[in-house]
C-alpha cells in the first residue's frame, strides 16, 4: 500500500496500480493524471483535500476473493478531465469469481465546474453521494444500497439509472 500524510498538493503523473490500500491526507489538490487501479481488495481513501482531480476519470478496484476495497473521498470538490472538455467519472469494481464490490463514499461536490459528463459506478456494495452532483449526461449506478445526502442534477436532461449489483439482493435506497 501507500500512505501520504500532512501534504499540501499531491500529484501522480503516471498510472497507479497498487496491491493494497492508498491513503492520502492532503490540504490542497490531489491529482491523478492517469488511471487508478487498486488490486487485492485495496481501498483509496482521500481526506481533507481542497479538490481531487481524476484526469482520466477511471478508478478500478479489483479483488480475486472476498470484497474489493472501498473508494472514500472527503474533499471540497471532485473534478474530472483536464478542465477543457467534459469527461466521465467511472468507478469500476472488478471482482473475481466469489468476490464482491466494496463501498463508494463521495463526500465532495461533483461537477461544479460543468465538466462532468457522466457518473458511472459499477458493482458497488453501497454508494453514498454526500454533496451535490451535477452531470451534463447520465448517472448510472449499479449498487445494492444508495444514499443521496444532497442532490443530483442533470443539466442536459440525462438519465438517472440505478440497478442492483447482485442478483441475489434487492436494491435499497435512501435520501436525506
Amino acid at each position: 500500500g501507500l500512505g501520504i500524510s500532512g501534504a499540501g498538493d499531491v500529484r501522480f503523473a503516471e498510472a497507479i496500480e497498487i496491491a493494497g490500500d492508498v491513503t492520502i491526507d492532503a490540504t490542497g489538490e490531489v491529482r491523478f493524471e492517469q488511471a487508478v487501479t487498486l488490486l487485492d481488495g485495496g481501498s483509496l481513501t482521500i481526506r481533507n483535500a481542497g479538490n481531487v482531480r481524476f484526469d482520466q476519470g477511471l478508478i478500478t478496484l479489483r479483488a480475486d476473493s472476498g470484497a474489493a476495497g472501498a473508494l472514500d473521498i472527503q474533499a471540497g470538490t471532485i473534478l474530472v478531465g483536464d478542465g477543457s472538455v467534459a469527461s466521465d467519472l467511472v468507478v469500476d469494481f472488478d471482482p473475481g469469481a466469489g468476490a464482491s464490490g466494496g463501498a463508494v463514499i463521495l463526500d465532495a461536490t461533483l461537477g461544479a465546474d460543468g465538466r462532468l459528463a457522466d457518473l458511472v459506478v459499477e458493482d458497488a456494495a453501497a454508494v453514498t453521494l454526500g454533496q451535490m452532483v451535477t452531470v451534463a449526461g447520465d448517472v448510472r449506478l449499479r449498487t445494492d444500497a444508495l444514499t443521496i445526502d444532497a442532490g443530483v442534477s442533470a443539466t442536459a436532461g440525462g438519465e438517472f439509472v440505478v440497478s442492483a449489483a447482485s442478483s441475489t439482493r434487492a436494491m435499497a435506497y435512501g435520501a436525506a
Side-chain angles (χ1 to χ4, degrees), residues 53-149:
R53 181 178 292 276
F54 296 96
D55 285 9
Q56 297 294 316
L58 178 61
I59 305 156
T60 304
L61 298 118
R62 291 187 180 148
D64 292 328
S65 62
L71 175 64
D72 185 354
I73 299 176
Q74 295 180 13
T77 59
I78 296 174
L79 305 167
V80 294
D82 63 6
S84 63
V85 297
S87 301
D88 297 340
L89 178 60
V90 178
V91 180
D92 183 20
F93 286 94
D94 188 10
S100 61
V104 174
I105 301 169
L106 301 177
D107 192 6
T109 301
L110 278 81
D113 63 349
R115 302 282 187 215
L116 179 57
D118 295 333
L119 172 62
V120 179
V121 177
E122 297 288 340
D123 299 321
V127 174
T128 300
L129 303 175
Q131 296 184 36
M132 187 66 190
V133 176
T134 304
V135 297
D138 300 334
V139 175
R140 294 188 308 272
L141 308 172
R142 188 164 52 223
T143 181
D144 288 330
L146 172 62
T147 302
I148 300 172
D149 290 333

Side-chain angles (χ1 to χ4, degrees), residues 134-176:
T134 304
V135 297
D138 300 334
V139 175
R140 294 188 308 272
L141 308 172
R142 188 164 52 223
T143 181
D144 288 330
L146 172 62
T147 302
I148 300 172
D149 290 333
V152 177
S153 172
T155 61
E159 292 185 318
F160 184 72
V161 179
V162 180
S163 58
S166 60
S167 61
T168 60
R169 178 163 181 191
M171 200 232 8
Y173 67 93

